[in-house]
Amino acid sequence: LSGVLGAPGQGNYAAANAFLDALAVSRRATGLPAVSLAWGLWGEGSAMTDRLGAADRERMSRGGVLPLATADGLALLDAAVAGSYPTAVPARLDLAALRTLGGDLPLPFHGLVRPARRTAARAAAGATGWAADLAALSTDDRERAATALVLSQVAAVLGHASAERIDAGRAFQELGFDSLTAVELRNGLSAATGLRLPATLIFDYPSPRDLARHLLSEIAGPDGVDTVRKVATTVADDEPLAIVGMACRYPGGVSSPEDLWRLIADGADAVDGFPTDRGWDLARLYDPTGTRPDTTYVDRGGFLTDAAEFDPVFFGISPREAVIMDPQQRLLLEVSWEAFERAGIDPGTLRGSSTGVFAGVMYHDYVSGRSSGSVVTGRVAYTLGLEGPAVSVDTACSSSLVAMHLAGQ
């Protein structure tokens, strides 16, 4: 079916199938024998079917494609070979499921389901019913109801048995969504609410809680949900800046501003031996003669203590991704969180606010596909849900100073 309807992750396969369909039509047009069959899902006896898991089958059934019994498949093969058409689509379809997709149906399905006007009318009726149910609830209960709806759809799309353990504040990307499941979630929510929703829904509203508030505002209006107010402000050119929270990491065991002050006040030495928690081959790395390539002739330097103790799960990052991340991203995530805490601010309360992130990010020698300095501030903004400017500044030795200046402006 991939060449007829399209299929996730099957772009090359779809192109090859479409070519074979066209070849069959071309041969028939010149009087040569040919028939090309765009098979649906076989229920058994297929290597491709055997590779599908329960979640894959559930996703396909929600999209209206059901498995063919072997006897039905063979009967369709006989009918296609005996028929007069160069191409055919032997597939078992669930028309009721297709109807829920409404205007997002692939073109070949349009003649199989009810007209768009009836679909739109049914959707509008669903929206009216949902809005009426919400109107009877308090503001807090409305948000809980909208969040429950989103989480139930999330669970269905991702194949979870229930929505109980899904964190409404966690980003869709962290929950496992991709472009395919994003569209599937949009379709399910459109059918449930009757709203016309964009395919970019989960990118515009990056967590189930954010999305629930958006749906609620669409149905109940701006007064139906408590949202973060964005107020335009003006400041005088000479208004002083207030530093309300600080956090830092430096060599010499410095993990707080107080540690940094003690290091300076005591005149302590922050240079120490090579760290043993980085997975480095120290015996190979150190060469006092300086004759071997890719080695160092000194075995001391300024290193951050406990830099390998980053907690990726806390920030919604997989351990595998954390290993290949630019260390600057890991450090900035930690110190940003700590700076909020030291200011007495719960970082979670700033999600959706216009808070900005400015950072001086200099060149470095960390070789990785994810080492672009420009994304460092974007990572912080995305993880904490901050919707103000996210600016990475590289002006060499003045990077941090310029970042502070821009943030102050």
Side-chain angles (χ1 to χ4, degrees):
L1 279 173
S2 60
V4 178
L5 305 179
Q10 298 291 332
N12 54 344
Y13 196 66
N17 284 328
F19 173 83
L20 292 177
D21 290 342
L23 178 61
V25 172
S26 177
R27 286 179 60 85
R28 282 291 188 96
T30 59
L32 297 173
V35 61
S36 178
L37 304 183
W39 287 103
L41 176 67
W42 280 66
E44 57 187 3
S46 164
M48 192 170 294
T49 300
D50 292 342
R51 288 198 296 268
L52 295 177
D56 297 315
R57 292 172 179 268
E58 175 64 21
R59 174 180 53 77
M60 295 182 73
S61 66
R62 288 197 303 270
V65 179
L66 301 176
L68 275 169
T70 300
D72 292 337
L74 294 175
L76 289 172
L77 174 61
D78 290 339
V81 172
S84 58
Y85 295 102
T87 62
V89 182
R92 181 182 169 209
L93 305 176
D94 181 354
L95 299 186
L98 292 175
R99 290 188 183 101
T100 65
L101 298 179
D104 298 310
L105 280 174
L107 184 62
F109 283 160
H110 283 189
L112 302 178
V113 299
R114 67 183 65 180
R117 284 179 296 178
R118 293 177 61 186
T119 301
R122 182 174 59 83
T128 302
W130 196 59
D133 292 339
L134 290 176
L137 301 176
S138 66
T139 300
D140 290 341
D141 288 341
R142 288 175 190 172
E143 184 166 337
R144 278 192 285 269
T147 302
L149 172 65
V150 173
L151 290 179
S152 67
Q153 293 291 329
V154 168
V157 170
L158 297 181
H160 295 308
S162 73
E164 292 181 359
R165 301 183 65 180
I166 300 177
D167 183 357
R170 196 173 180 188
F172 283 110
Q173 185 181 26
E174 297 167 12
L175 292 174
F177 273 82
D178 54 22
S179 56
L180 167 67
T181 46
V183 173
E184 189 173 351
L185 177 64
R186 185 278 306 268
N187 292 344
L189 289 172
S190 293
T193 64
L195 294 172
R196 187 175 181 84
L197 302 170
T200 58
L201 196 64
I202 71 169
F203 305 103
D204 299 331
Y205 307 96
S207 75
R209 181 175 293 116
D210 296 329
L211 178 51
R213 289 174 175 171
H214 168 67
L215 295 179
L216 193 56
S217 65
E218 289 290 300
I219 291 290
D223 296 329
V225 61
D226 292 330
T227 57
V228 176
R229 285 192 171 187
K230 296 185 178 180
V231 181
T233 59
T234 57
V235 296
D237 291 339
D238 60 347
E239 181 174 346
L241 302 179
I243 298 175
V244 296
M246 296 175 62
C248 63
R249 297 285 190 279
Y250 285 104
V254 173
S255 60
S256 69
E258 292 82 4
D259 289 342
L260 179 60
W261 177 249
R262 282 194 294 270
L263 180 75
I264 297 173
D266 296 344
D269 186 359
V271 175
D272 203 352
F274 280 173
T276 59
D277 60 353
R278 314 293 161 88
W280 297 350
D281 185 351
L282 300 182
R284 189 205 65 80
L285 184 63
Y286 175 54
D287 175 22
T289 67
T291 58
R292 287 188 289 117
D294 300 323
T295 61
T296 174
Y297 57 86
V298 295
D299 60 355
R300 298 173 61 80
F303 299 99
L304 300 186
T305 304
D306 297 330
E309 298 302 310
F310 177 71
D311 184 357
V313 177
F314 180 80
F315 291 103
I317 299 171
S318 72
R320 178 177 295 181
E321 182 184 6
V323 171
I324 61 175
M325 279 175 61
D326 179 352
Q328 292 181 104
Q329 292 187 32
R330 299 198 293 260
L331 289 169
L332 197 57
L333 281 171
E334 289 182 337
V335 297
S336 297
W337 188 279
E338 287 183 17
F340 282 129
E341 287 187 328
R342 294 174 68 90
I345 299 172
D346 177 358
T349 63
L350 295 177
R351 184 171 295 276
S353 71
S354 58
T355 305
V357 183
F358 295 81
V361 184
M362 279 188 63
Y363 58 86
H364 52 89
D365 300 322
Y366 191 76
V367 181
S368 168
R370 296 170 181 254
S371 62
S372 174
S374 60
V375 304
V376 171
T377 49
R379 166 73 78 167
V380 175
Y382 178 81
T383 300
L384 302 183
L386 310 179
E387 297 184 4
V391 181
S392 297
V393 177
D394 183 357
T395 54
C397 296
S398 63
S399 297
S400 295
L401 179 63
V402 174
M404 290 285 287
H405 177 66
L406 292 175
Q409 288 184 318

